[in-house]
Amino acid sequence: MATVNFSVPVEIKNAFNQAFEGENKSAILAALMRQAVEEHKRKKRRALAIDALLRLRRRIRPAIAAATGRARRKGRP
């Protein structure tokens, strides 16, 4: 196990200690850090996906309104 040292506002520390009184705070902090890492990875993947979609959208010509209308009517009974 590694030891980490972070500075946090006193009110956050007190609220954390009160909320998790009697619990394994190291395990809770490790789980919170794990969640933060996963969320960070998800945000990066989302940003890359959005960038890819935007690049694709710049390459594709917009649909013409008349063609869109024909496509809608074609599939209807």
Side-chain angles (χ1 to χ4, degrees):
M1 285 277 208
T3 300
V4 293
N5 185 11
F6 293 105
S7 297
V8 295
V10 172
E11 56 274 3
I12 297 295
K13 177 188 175 219
N14 292 339
F16 180 83
N17 285 333
Q18 184 178 6
F20 298 105
E21 185 177 352
E23 295 187 45
N24 182 344
K25 293 181 185 87
S26 292
I28 293 166
L29 285 171
L32 291 171
M33 291 174 75
R34 192 175 298 111
Q35 288 174 2
V37 168
E38 290 304 316
E39 177 62 24
H40 183 70
K41 288 178 184 178
R42 278 192 297 275
K43 283 182 182 180
K44 278 189 167 186
R45 285 193 305 267
R46 280 194 297 265
L48 290 172
I50 289 169
D51 290 343
L53 288 170
L54 291 174
R55 280 192 306 275
L56 180 63
R57 187 173 184 192
R58 283 191 291 267
R59 291 192 330 230
I60 297 173
R61 294 185 318 172
I64 298 170
T68 305
R70 282 192 304 272
R72 285 186 185 141
R73 287 186 297 278
K74 183 179 178 182
R76 294 185 182 165

